[in-house]
Amino acid sequence: MKGSTYRRCSCRDPKTGKELGTSCPKRNSRNHCTYSIRQELPPREDGSRRSFARGGYDSRKAAQADLDHVRALLGLAESDDPEGVELIATMLAEVSSEKTPLPEVEETRRRLKAGQDLIGSLTVSEWLDRWLVGKRIRKSGLNRYETDIRVHLKPRIGNRRLDRLRVSHLSEMFTDIRDANAQILEQNVQRRAAIDELAAVPWKGAENRVRRKAMKAAIDAMPPFRRVTGPATRLHVKATLRAALNDAIGQQIITFNPAAHVEIDPVRKPKALVWTDERVAKWEQTGEKPSPVMVWTPKQTGAFLDFVAEDRLYAMWHLIAFRGLRRGEACGQPWSETNLNTHSLAVSSQLVQDGWELEASEPKTDSGYRVVALDDDTVNVLKRHRERQYADREEWGSAWVETGHVFTQEDGSWLHPGKVTDLFERLVAASGLPPIRLHDLRHGAATLMLAADIDIKIVSDTLGHSDTRITRDIYQSVLPQVGKNAAEATAKLVPLQRKAEEEKAARKAAKKAKAKKRGKGNPKDKARAQAKKKARSEAKRKKPKK
């Protein structure tokens, strides 16, 4: 196909405004004109001509280099590949009209073979929208992805080209999030201070009313109270982007995932701590919890269950406390999967909150599907609960909502997990026990199983964990007596001379004390004991035989 380089003068006639072209008096000057290129492209499907044109080159050499570049791109498609020829021609026509840089030959070759767009103009925002539409997950998970994309990813990196996204861009994004957190905290402090100042201004008096009005206007102009983006949220934002970019790699749109290599602040999950007497005493004095995740001792758990024995949902509290079901699993547990004859229940469904709305869902992971064994007491508790539910059904009559769930509202309808949490918190406060969350009752069940020397694999399967390492990480802190027994067992493995001597002295002292107790240490006591023994023998001898 025809192509050439040529000189071009852009000077114009001051009167007519037209380009002078070859009539320019300065045309023959060495540095006056610039060079341009034009390359014919394969015609369109309708036969119309098209070409690649570009100007503004300082030298013929630079112009010729770009012309060779264009011809190399045209040569990527074989003559017997009309689809490839059309893709290359369309790409070059677009690059020419938009005056964008020519794409690299090898990158274009790779894209052509992979069936990708030859011009990497797809933005991160466009890809995230496309990726989100194709996700087939439950609504709550989809909404979480959408929030990450709308609030964090699109505003900060959405306009960047997907194929040019780099680790440095993501580092800048997370730095920006941290800076925004500092600004939010400062604005929250300012707004709180203004509200406190307003509360201190009296209502009476014209001067005070004017002042209050001005202060209210100033507060309204301030940014509202906002939550900062914590470490866990930042980690989820990274996970969302990483998943989206992995799918882009799978579709051969990009070859590198920068989200897999960006470093952010680690998330340190709080460890479960037990409410020991010392921690309870400090809580009673200060009202502060030692950790966000607290676990009751067996005695405290028993006290709570005794306190709520007459509660309508006692069976639920009992089941979570001993078998460790999650809140949504307990609320969504059907009678059809609860076999009291075989002392087991199968966890195969749950109720999930999306905002305040509810939806029935399957367990999130394969490990969530599990069979949980039930002890005799729990079975009896569930039998009594079922009898009470039968009575409620009779009382409600035609108004009863048949959901088939084990735990329901008074009319049989779905039990809202959020309301269950609120009720649990009120019951804990009324019991006078140190506070725990409803999910901590599940933690307590795990701790009790570990304290009972149940194998870690069985504990993990009962809780629905995908790996025993998760169980170990969460429940590193166990009941005090378990740690004490472990420490004693460890200490006994090391033979110490000092320890042997102390034990020998202790045995000798115990033997001496025992002898003294029997009267062998004091001569007078010994004489009295012998006299009593002699008197008993004499009485026995004189006793007439029958």
Side-chain angles (χ1 to χ4, degrees), residues 215-228:
M215 292 180 69
K216 285 182 178 179
I219 291 173
D220 292 340
M222 291 180 176
F225 287 117
R226 290 178 293 168
R227 296 176 60 183
V228 297

Side-chain angles (χ1 to χ4, degrees), residues 512-526:
K512 186 177 180 180
K514 186 176 181 181
K516 185 176 181 180
K517 186 176 180 181
R518 292 178 177 177
K520 295 181 180 179
N522 191 322
K524 293 182 179 181
D525 293 340
K526 185 176 181 181

Side-chain angles (χ1 to χ4, degrees), residues 50-67:
R50 54 185 168 184
S51 63
F52 179 93
R54 180 161 293 181
Y57 296 99
D58 294 333
S59 65
R60 185 182 297 276
K61 183 178 180 181
Q64 186 62 46
D66 263 13
L67 182 61

Side-chain angles (χ1 to χ4, degrees), residues 117 122 125-134 251 253:
D117 294 335
L122 185 67
S125 180
E126 292 169 343
W127 169 249
L128 289 174
D129 287 340
R130 185 190 302 181
W131 175 75
L132 198 60
V133 170
Q251 296 184 28
I253 298 175

Side-chain angles (χ1 to χ4, degrees), residues 105-172:
V105 175
E106 290 305 317
E107 176 64 13
T108 304
R109 187 195 309 276
R110 184 191 66 78
R111 288 174 176 269
L112 185 65
K113 289 183 177 180
Q116 301 174 12
D117 294 335
L118 297 187
I119 303 178
S121 58
L122 185 67
T123 65
V124 173
S125 180
E126 292 169 343
W127 169 249
L128 289 174
D129 287 340
R130 185 190 302 181
W131 175 75
L132 198 60
V133 170
K135 295 300 290 182
R136 295 293 180 266
I137 57 176
R138 64 187 186 189
K139 187 178 178 182
S140 59
L142 199 63
N143 287 346
R144 184 70 186 272
Y145 282 146
E146 189 276 331
T147 299
D148 290 342
I149 292 170
R150 173 174 49 83
V151 177
H152 299 289
L153 296 176
K154 278 189 176 182
R156 292 181 170 90
I157 59 172
N159 61 344
R160 294 190 178 277
R161 272 180 48 170
L162 183 65
D163 61 329
R164 295 181 182 177
L165 189 64
R166 298 292 179 262
V167 174
S168 59
H169 299 150
L170 303 188
S171 297
E172 292 172 2

Side-chain angles (χ1 to χ4, degrees), residues 7-8 15 19 67 90 100 129-130 159 172 219 238 252-253 273 288 293 349 379 442 465-466 483 491 496 510 514 538:
R7 293 183 70 189
R8 180 178 178 180
K15 295 181 180 180
E19 290 187 358
L67 182 61
T90 302
T100 55
D129 287 340
R130 185 190 302 181
N159 61 344
E172 292 172 2
I219 291 173
K238 175 184 174 180
Q252 297 183 322
I253 298 175
L273 297 180
E288 297 179 359
V293 182
S349 62
V379 168
R442 164 179 161 86
H465 290 162
S466 58
L496 294 175
K514 186 176 181 181
E538 188 68 23

